[in-house]
Amino acid sequence: MRISIFNIFCLTVCLFMVVGISHAATIKIGKDQKVKTIKNGIAQARSGDTLIVFQGIYKEGNIIVDKPLTLLGSENPVLDGEKKFEPISIKSNNVTIQGFTVQGSGHSSIVDIAAIKIYNRSHIKVIDNKLEDNFFGIYSQNAKHVEIRGNRIQAYGVAEQLIGNGIHAWKSDSIHVENNQIFGHRDGIYLEFVTHTHVINNLSERNLRYGLHFMFSHNNSYMDNVFRANGAGVAVMYTRNVHMENNKFEENWGDSSYGLLLKDISDSEIINNEFDRNTTAIFMEGSNRIHLEQNKFNNNGWGIKIQASCMDNVFKDNNFMQNTFDVATNGTLTLNNFENNYWDKYEGYDLDKDGVGDIPYRPVSMFSMLVERYPTAMLLFRSFMVTLFDRTEKLIPSLTPEGLKDEKPRMKSIKV
């Protein structure tokens, strides 16, 4: 008897599933289709339906997706906001937007208008779209379980206050941002009060402020991204437990520009990243218990600027090559540890041939301390007197921090 009741129960469940599946329908939208507009298609659709939108330009103002639907673009249809509207507003769970060009959203100094905006919902996918000349690109507001993948997001901002961010997430959780390309926005990617989020394999280039910007966003990771030629590469602020690995920070130049800005962050990892041709590769202020390992610092103005407010940070097995200054600081007391790094300016010896220098290396030069206090002193760079002072300081340290040294500098660069 128990077995038969169980079988009846399973059959009933299966019937419900079949009935549920049978309700799902496909609605075709286009000038040659029965349904001409996306709004009409949404109005006719039931939860779980798929809308296939064929090639064409659709000027329908603000399209609100208010039920669980999949919207698929065929041959790249264009949704035009006409510089007035928010083209797509997602106000339902379980929505997918894929294969569209979304262009010309409205602009506002009061409301954050986006090409595609998610309002307080979950399980949303925004995949393989092209976003062109919008205020904000993709905006996640108080959302959960959002996948943003394979989109190309292009804007033409000329001033920070006149343009929004490419991908913007506020008070959101479990966001997956992968394989997107973002150009010309204020920040390429902006995360504020965002948790459990992964930013993977994106290109963020030529944005006005930051390629990626974290604010109060804990327990996140970003890996395998390229941040190139932005106002500054990445800023991580007021945050803890961030994992940063295999990223490239390239050509972020400017008076106050950094490859990576760390301000008031803690308990994080920076592993196997490449910093190439930045004004300052990493600037650290009020940052504690950061583990930096197997990173490459090449051809930067400053490799690392670490303020006296930082403590208990570990720099291990990194390569410092062809930087103007490897390390600079603004104080004489240091509470951080440098160990087993390679420094191309190291002139020590290795008598026991163990691959480790027999005398410590002090990466902070007297001239870098002088420049930190008096920036105009850079006019004297490469002069004979500067070289003489630096060599004297190495023999009889008096101005540079005594504790900031690598006790075991490597004789050869590390393969990372």
Side-chain angles (χ1 to χ4, degrees):
M1 179 63 70
R2 290 182 180 176
I3 294 175
S4 62
I5 292 174
F6 177 75
N7 289 340
I8 292 171
F9 173 75
C10 290
L11 180 61
T12 303
V13 171
C14 291
L15 286 172
F16 274 117
M17 291 177 65
V18 170
V19 171
I21 292 171
S22 67
H23 281 305
T26 298
I27 299 173
K28 296 181 179 180
I29 299 168
K31 64 181 182 180
D32 298 325
Q33 306 299 321
K34 184 177 180 180
V35 181
K36 306 297 183 183
T37 69
I38 298 171
K39 285 185 175 181
N40 284 342
I42 293 172
Q44 295 178 26
R46 295 182 178 182
S47 296
D49 285 355
T50 296
L51 279 61
I52 298 178
V53 183
F54 287 91
Q55 188 177 42
I57 299 176
Y58 296 81
K59 298 181 180 181
E60 300 189 31
N62 177 217
I63 298 170
I64 299 175
V65 185
D66 56 1
K67 60 187 75 171
L69 297 172
T70 297
L71 275 67
L72 300 179
S74 175
E75 299 184 67
N76 198 36
V78 176
L79 309 183
D80 190 351
E82 303 179 79
K83 295 292 184 179
K84 302 176 184 177
F85 306 103
E86 182 168 88
I88 300 180
S89 301
I90 298 174
K91 298 185 178 182
S92 170
N93 299 330
N94 301 297
V95 171
T96 297
I97 307 292
Q98 182 172 359
F100 292 88
T101 290
V102 187
Q103 67 184 30
S105 76
H107 284 59
S108 173
S109 59
I110 301 173
V111 180
D112 293 338
I113 298 174
I116 301 173
K117 190 168 182 179
I118 305 159
Y119 289 84
N120 314 310
R121 300 300 174 182
S122 64
H123 298 95
I124 309 298
K125 295 182 179 181
V126 181
I127 302 172
D128 296 334
N129 301 286
K130 182 179 179 181
L131 279 61
E132 184 81 11
D133 194 20
N134 298 288
F135 186 37
F136 284 80
I138 300 168
Y139 197 118
S140 170
Q141 174 183 294
N142 195 25
K144 293 183 179 180
H145 303 291
V146 176
E147 180 181 348
I148 300 171
R149 176 167 53 84
N151 303 283
R152 180 180 173 86
I153 305 170
Q154 173 81 61
Y156 305 93
V158 294
E160 290 182 13
Q161 67 272 19
L162 300 178
I163 192 69
N165 304 314
I167 296 173
H168 183 109
W170 176 81
K171 203 176 179 183
S172 296
D173 180 78
S174 300
I175 313 296
H176 189 87
V177 181
E178 183 174 4
N179 200 31
N180 302 282
Q181 298 179 339
I182 309 108
F183 311 94
H185 276 273
R186 181 171 61 203
D187 292 342
I189 303 169
Y190 181 86
L191 308 176
E192 185 176 16
F193 301 107
V194 172
T195 53
H196 308 112
T197 288
H198 305 289
V199 179
I200 302 171
N201 197 34
N202 301 280
L203 170 63
S204 187
E205 184 174 0
R206 300 191 307 277
N207 296 290
L208 300 182
R209 190 168 63 175
Y210 299 113
L212 170 64
H213 192 180
F214 278 78
M215 291 281 285
F216 306 102
S217 295
H218 312 307
N219 304 307
N220 300 303
S221 67
Y222 65 93
M223 299 176 288
D224 301 303
N225 303 285
V226 177
F227 305 103
R228 181 185 298 129
N230 301 287
V234 174
V236 185
M237 303 181 178
Y238 314 109
T239 295
R240 63 179 181 274
N241 297 326
V242 179
H243 182 81
M244 313 170 226
E245 185 171 359
N246 285 338
N247 301 285
K248 292 184 178 181
F249 304 79
E250 301 174 347
E251 300 180 24
N252 299 291
W253 289 107
D255 292 339
S256 300
S257 185
Y258 316 100
L260 174 59
L261 168 63
L262 305 175
K263 181 174 175 57
D264 294 302
I265 84 162
S266 62
D267 303 297
S268 298
E269 297 173 317
I270 301 173
I271 299 173
N272 199 31
N273 300 280
E274 185 172 338
F275 299 86
D276 192 7
R277 290 163 293 161
N278 303 283
T279 301
T280 301
I282 299 180
F283 182 92
M284 302 177 66
E285 179 181 348
S287 299
N288 307 311
R289 300 181 300 281
I290 314 299
H291 190 85
L292 300 97
E293 183 173 350
Q294 294 188 333
N295 300 288
K296 295 169 65 176
F297 298 87
N298 302 320
N299 298 294
N300 302 286
W302 283 264
I304 294 172
K305 280 189 175 183
I306 182 166
Q307 303 296 83
S309 56
C310 301
M311 60 186 298
D312 298 327
N313 300 294
V314 176
F315 301 81
K316 183 178 180 181
D317 295 333
N318 302 286
N319 288 332
F320 292 84
M321 297 181 289
Q322 301 182 37
N323 303 297
T324 304
F325 304 109
D326 289 326
V327 180
T329 185
N330 64 343
T332 57
L333 177 65
T334 179
L335 300 172
N336 304 286
N337 182 42
F338 288 79
E339 181 180 352
N340 287 119
N341 300 284
Y342 172 74
W343 313 87
D344 66 346
K345 298 181 179 65
Y346 180 61
E347 297 177 346
Y349 44 82
D350 180 19
L351 297 179
D352 57 6
K353 304 299 181 182
D354 64 350
V356 176
D358 295 338
I359 58 175
Y361 177 66
R362 292 181 170 83
V364 179
S365 68
M366 188 192 73
F367 185 56
S368 72
M369 297 287 290
L370 182 64
V371 170
E372 192 69 19
R373 298 179 184 179
Y374 308 103
T376 54
M378 276 299 296
L379 293 171
L380 301 175
F381 183 57
R382 298 193 188 283
S383 70
F384 172 74
M385 290 301 296
V386 168
T387 303
L388 180 62
F389 287 150
D390 277 342
R391 291 193 174 275
T392 303
E393 181 69 14
K394 286 182 179 180
L395 293 173
I396 311 173
S398 58
L399 298 178
T400 56
E402 170 63 23
L404 204 162
K405 58 186 176 181
D406 191 334
E407 295 281 3
K408 298 179 180 180
R410 291 179 178 270
M411 298 302 294
K412 295 183 178 179
S413 60
I414 306 154
K415 294 182 179 180
V416 295

